[in-house]
Amino acid sequence: MHLGETTAGLVGGLPLLRGVPQQPGRAPYPELMSRALVEEARRRGADLLLAGGDISAGGAAHDLGEARRILDGFGTHGQDYFVVRGNHDRAADNSTFHTAFPGLTGSDGPGYFARDLGGLRIIGLDTYVKTGNGADAGGLGPDQLAWFQARLRETPDQPTVVFGHHPLTVRDSVFPVTRGQCLERRQARTVVDAYASAPGVFLHHAGHTHRNKRTVLVRAPHVTQQEVAAAKEYPGGFTLLRIHSGGYALNHYKAGDLAARQWSERSRRVAAGLWPHHALGRSVTDRDSVAAHDLSGVTPLPPLSRSVNRGQR
């Protein structure tokens, strides 16, 4: 989402890559695109929304507050939508994120949590438990990693979606792959080893790379890692997970709002025109796929609270 950002395409501060600003007089593109995402997800019938980090561009209280107002348009935080931190959300005062999204963790720990929703377990990870500028590898920290392993050992067969900002691995990138693009290597191996012993886990959702990319984890082939393109720029959308008793489908949708489409086309020029080759996905299966998995134990959720919230407004 990157609320507060004013120029798209400053990829890791690389020289010679000129960014793309919004046209004068138009709404800031992170706000515009985030609102369009919420509306489109609601229109497509999404029951839950997972916001996988970098909610803001720098952790400023104003930007996180605006992000909260936008996401509240989908429903109730901690019930209809869930949020984790990315490296951009770690301001000098780390309390700003929890001020904007209080009650994030319950009794689990700072920045990470597990929730059971109709038999489907959602695990949210904080993948940058450190200070830094985000150029280094992501890290969970020993407490969070031990907590995560323990949760999977408790109920290894429960259908589980894990989401966090940094991917476990980055493959087949148009741009050079640096250590800052994924989780620290040893911790990533530990996570995958935990997946290998937990047949219920079927999806690891990540952002950070701003691209659509489907990767089957070789050491845990029942788990798909799905990197999802950023909402704020081309292609300007989200990935919808549909769960059935015998498996699941992942489909990427662009926001249909006209102003969002206009900005999406404008931001195609990011990275000297290479951005579509990176962000959209190098093949159709990077953004649209179907996989078999036993999800017969997952039950439908009750009606969303967001319908009540809209009526109150």
Side-chain angles (χ1 to χ4, degrees):
M1 293 171 66
H2 282 236
L3 269 290
E5 183 179 284
T6 57
T7 303
L10 302 180
V11 184
L14 293 176
L16 305 180
L17 292 182
R18 298 179 61 184
V20 179
Q22 176 64 290
Q23 292 174 294
R26 294 185 181 269
Y29 64 84
E31 298 177 21
L32 174 73
M33 299 302 288
S34 297
R35 289 194 181 93
L37 180 151
V38 166
E39 289 298 323
E40 188 72 17
R42 194 162 54 195
R43 189 176 75 82
R44 297 279 178 183
D47 296 307
L48 297 170
L49 191 151
L50 305 180
D54 280 4
I55 309 303
S56 65
H62 174 271
D63 297 330
L64 288 166
E66 183 62 29
R68 173 64 191 263
R69 286 186 286 274
I70 291 171
L71 290 170
D72 280 351
F74 185 84
T76 301
H77 173 240
Q79 179 176 318
D80 302 320
Y81 76 89
F82 297 88
V83 177
V84 292
R85 273 191 299 205
N87 50 287
H88 280 282
D89 297 316
R90 298 196 70 88
D93 179 5
N94 284 329
S95 67
T96 56
F97 193 90
H98 293 298
T99 299
F101 298 100
L104 175 68
T105 61
S107 60
D108 299 325
Y112 50 92
F113 57 90
R115 296 290 184 273
D116 187 317
L117 302 169
L120 177 68
R121 177 169 54 185
I122 304 290
I123 295 181
L125 299 177
D126 184 345
T127 63
Y128 201 72
V129 185
K130 58 174 74 177
T131 56
N133 61 6
D136 54 338
L140 301 177
D143 292 343
Q144 183 178 187
L145 192 58
W147 168 88
F148 177 71
Q149 292 172 297
R151 295 289 79 73
L152 294 189
R153 283 196 301 267
E154 286 174 359
T155 50
D157 296 315
Q158 183 175 6
T160 300
V161 173
V162 179
F163 79 114
H165 189 60
H166 291 74
L168 302 172
T169 181
V170 175
R171 303 173 188 171
D172 304 323
S173 176
V174 172
F175 303 109
V177 177
T178 66
R179 64 176 186 168
Q181 291 185 25
C182 52
L183 201 66
E184 190 273 328
R185 188 173 301 176
R186 290 183 180 179
Q187 288 199 349
R189 281 200 298 266
T190 301
V191 170
V192 175
D193 287 344
Y195 288 164
S197 301
V201 180
F202 63 95
L203 183 65
H204 183 108
H205 156 56
H208 194 54
T209 56
H210 295 208
R211 67 172 185 166
N212 292 317
K213 180 69 172 76
R214 177 179 181 268
T215 303
V216 175
L217 300 177
V218 176
R219 294 165 64 190
H222 56 283
V223 181
T224 294
Q225 174 185 270
Q226 182 66 54
E227 299 166 56
V228 177
K232 71 182 180 73
E233 63 208 1
Y234 182 88
F238 62 96
T239 292
L240 183 62
L241 165 67
R242 292 185 176 95
I243 293 177
H244 303 272
S245 59
Y248 62 93
L250 292 165
N251 298 101
H252 187 76
Y253 291 96
K254 290 172 66 72
D257 177 79
L258 178 59
R261 289 293 182 101
Q262 290 172 335
W263 166 253
S264 177
E265 289 304 300
R266 180 174 173 81
S267 60
R268 286 175 66 101
R269 297 184 286 125
V270 161
L274 291 174
W275 199 248
H277 303 284
H278 170 79
L280 184 61
R282 301 188 71 177
S283 70
V284 173
T285 55
D286 281 332
R287 55 186 179 272
D288 296 292
S289 65
V290 174
H293 196 92
D294 182 7
L295 296 168
S296 56
V298 179
T299 59
L301 293 174
L304 292 177
S305 62
R306 67 169 182 258
S307 60
V308 177
N309 291 344
R310 289 206 305 273
Q312 291 174 342
R313 284 195 288 268

